[in-house]
Amino acid sequence: MAELAVDKHFKYILSVEKNKDSFESVVMDHLRMNGAYWGLTALDLLGKLDSVNVDEVISWILKCQRESGGFSGNIGYDPHILYTLSAVQVLALFNKLDVLDIDKVATYITGLQNEDGSFSGDMWGEVDTRFSYIAICCLSILCCLDKINVEKAVSYILSCKNLDGGFGCTPGGESHAGQIFCCVGALALTGSLHYVDKDLLGWWLCERQVKSGGLNGRPEKLPDVCYSWWVLSSLIMIDRVHWIDKEKLVKFILDCQDVENGGISDRPDDAVDVYHTYFGVAGLSLLNYPGLKAIDPAYALPVDVVNRIFFSG
Ligand code: GRG
């Protein structure tokens, strides 16, 4: 079996950041904060975070904070909860949460909770269980989960649970592995996993493994490296990860590497990008691939970073 091309991936991630005129950088300009989280967390898992200029990253992140307390995807854009979590996660990676006015960020997130317990993504009001997870994860990292109505947040998430054991983005929405990660993650972070039928959901999730060893996000769809994260982290949180063939999944992820120029793609022989590179490396970390740092399946941050937040000082 091929090995993980650690040095190539390291160089690839740095090259995307440097090459601002590349196609990938241009199409990602408005969501650069997500890109920063994917790239920097991948570097940390690979043991290469030292090579980054921390002050430069922090000063750019602070320039993306808007009056409301929320963060935008890049300087000059509107704030959104999606980018707010990425900003907080990157600050946590660098042990720099102290640069934040925590009350200000928490007020932004709290203000996005709706009467039924759901969360909007920004002032325009779209509701999605992704935003429930993000609000809960962000407030938990900032140690102020008590600022929202957790009971209502949990009850809204449970209203998105389907008869097949999975979860969708709103009540009645089709089960999808990405939304399942968000709902199971939010339930894990609020100590509410007892509401999940673990055998039923575990069955649905392990059915996502296809012949090549890769995982898809819902029935009849193609496998994609990113589901190595969304499906596997969910299976770990509900303690059913032994229901899939781990060795075949490792091989599928390694087969998606560009071994010459670095980076990981959605499927073998496709073009690589930072998103799939991160979720490929994160999936391998969940699979205990040798040499990688361990990642926490609920916070989507390296375990040592999570431990530092909750167990130091
Ligand atoms: C901190 C890890 C982390 C996440 C933050 C944004 C977010 C919270 C979660 C996103 C969860 C999600 C919905 C992931 C799925 C992304 C994806 C590949 C969507 C593609 O959907 P389709 O329908 O693809 O285009 P399929 O694979 O179903 O054909």
Side-chain angles (χ1 to χ4, degrees), residues 37-38 82 85-86 89 128 130 133-134 137 176-179 181-182 216-218 221-222 224 226-227 229-230 275-276 278-279 299-300:
Y37 159 71
W38 299 327
L82 280 164
L85 174 62
S86 288
Q89 284 174 313
D128 190 307
R130 281 178 302 156
Y133 165 77
I134 289 176
C137 185
H176 188 286
Q179 307 298 147
F181 160 78
C182 292
N216 63 17
R218 45 190 167 145
K221 291 284 191 159
L222 291 173
D224 182 320
C226 74
Y227 296 114
W229 170 264
W230 309 117
Y275 170 86
H276 289 96
Y278 168 50
F279 285 112
Y299 285 103

Side-chain angles (χ1 to χ4, degrees), residues 280-293:
V281 171
L284 289 172
S285 163
L286 291 175
L287 292 160
N288 303 117
Y289 191 88
L292 293 179
K293 269 190 171 187

Side-chain angles (χ1 to χ4, degrees), residues 216-238:
N216 63 17
R218 45 190 167 145
E220 306 303 325
K221 291 284 191 159
L222 291 173
D224 182 320
V225 154
C226 74
Y227 296 114
S228 314
W229 170 264
W230 309 117
V231 173
L232 213 54
S233 56
S234 306
L235 280 168
I236 291 173
M237 288 188 273
I238 62 167

Side-chain angles (χ1 to χ4, degrees):
M1 203 192 298
E3 289 196 352
L4 183 66
V6 172
D7 281 329
K8 296 272 163 103
H9 299 323
F10 163 57
K11 286 186 188 129
Y12 165 72
I13 294 168
L14 291 187
S15 76
V16 173
E17 167 51 26
K18 285 204 186 88
N19 189 359
K20 295 215 169 60
D21 294 329
S22 71
F23 176 73
E24 191 171 353
S25 297
V26 171
V27 293
M28 276 187 48
D29 188 61
H30 65 293
L31 45 84
R32 193 160 173 243
M33 192 65 79
N34 290 154
Y37 159 71
W38 299 327
L40 293 167
T41 311
L43 287 184
D44 200 11
L45 295 175
L46 294 167
K48 306 278 188 189
L49 197 60
D50 290 354
S51 53
V52 175
N53 183 331
V54 185
D55 293 339
E56 226 173 76
V57 179
I58 306 297
S59 107
W60 169 72
I61 289 180
L62 290 175
K63 283 187 196 140
C64 293
Q65 189 170 29
R66 308 309 301 260
E67 206 35 59
S68 57
F71 288 79
S72 54
N74 206 341
I75 299 169
Y77 289 88
D78 289 340
H80 196 287
I81 200 167
L82 280 164
Y83 310 121
T84 304
L85 174 62
S86 288
V88 168
Q89 284 174 313
V90 173
L91 292 173
L93 276 183
F94 289 118
N95 199 15
K96 290 283 183 191
L97 286 170
D98 56 354
V99 303
L100 282 178
D101 178 343
I102 288 180
D103 272 346
K104 201 168 171 174
V105 183
T107 302
Y108 172 73
I109 296 170
T110 312
L112 293 170
Q113 188 168 34
N114 302 307
E115 198 38 50
D116 62 358
S118 66
F119 281 83
S120 299
D122 64 7
M123 61 180 288
W124 301 108
E126 184 195 5
V127 168
D128 190 307
T129 44
R130 281 178 302 156
F131 310 146
S132 300
Y133 165 77
I134 289 176
I136 287 168
C137 185
C138 220
L139 292 176
S140 176
I141 292 172
L142 299 175
C143 298
C144 40
L145 207 44
D146 57 329
K147 292 208 191 308
I148 53 161
N149 187 328
V150 173
E151 208 181 310
K152 275 191 170 185
V154 167
S155 126
Y156 179 77
I157 290 166
L158 296 176
S159 74
C160 299
K161 185 160 77 167
N162 293 318
L163 287 173
D164 59 15
F167 295 81
C169 50
T170 48
E174 181 189 358
S175 294
H176 188 286
Q179 307 298 147
I180 291 173
F181 160 78
C182 292
C183 294
V184 171
L187 294 175
L189 294 175
T190 52
S192 313
L193 278 178
H194 52 281
Y195 290 116
V196 176
D197 181 338
K198 298 192 174 96
D199 285 343
L200 183 63
L201 178 58
W203 160 79
W204 191 94
L205 287 167
C206 75
E207 284 287 311
R208 306 279 56 78
Q209 190 159 37
V210 301
K211 260 203 185 119
S212 62
L215 304 170
N216 63 17
R218 45 190 167 145
E220 306 303 325
K221 291 284 191 159
L222 291 173
D224 182 320
V225 154
C226 74
Y227 296 114
S228 314
W229 170 264
W230 309 117
V231 173
L232 213 54
S233 56
S234 306
L235 280 168
I236 291 173
M237 288 188 273
I238 62 167
D239 202 16
R240 296 293 181 275
V241 74
H242 50 289
W243 287 4
I244 62 147
D245 187 332
K246 292 189 188 178
E247 230 171 273
K248 275 185 94 173
L249 179 55
V250 169
K251 183 176 178 319
F252 176 79
I253 300 173
L254 294 175
D255 284 347
C256 293
Q257 300 181 97
D258 180 335
V259 286
E260 268 166 42
N261 303 309
I264 299 176
S265 55
D266 56 355
R267 283 177 284 283
D269 301 322
D270 281 355
V272 303
D273 58 61
V274 180
Y275 170 86
H276 289 96
T277 303
Y278 168 50
F279 285 112
V281 171
L284 289 172
S285 163
L286 291 175
L287 292 160
N288 303 117
Y289 191 88
L292 293 179
K293 269 190 171 187
I295 187 162
D296 184 282
Y299 285 103
L301 281 171
V303 169
D304 63 338
V305 172
V306 175
N307 287 342
R308 191 171 61 209
I309 296 169
F310 296 111
F311 302 117
S312 73

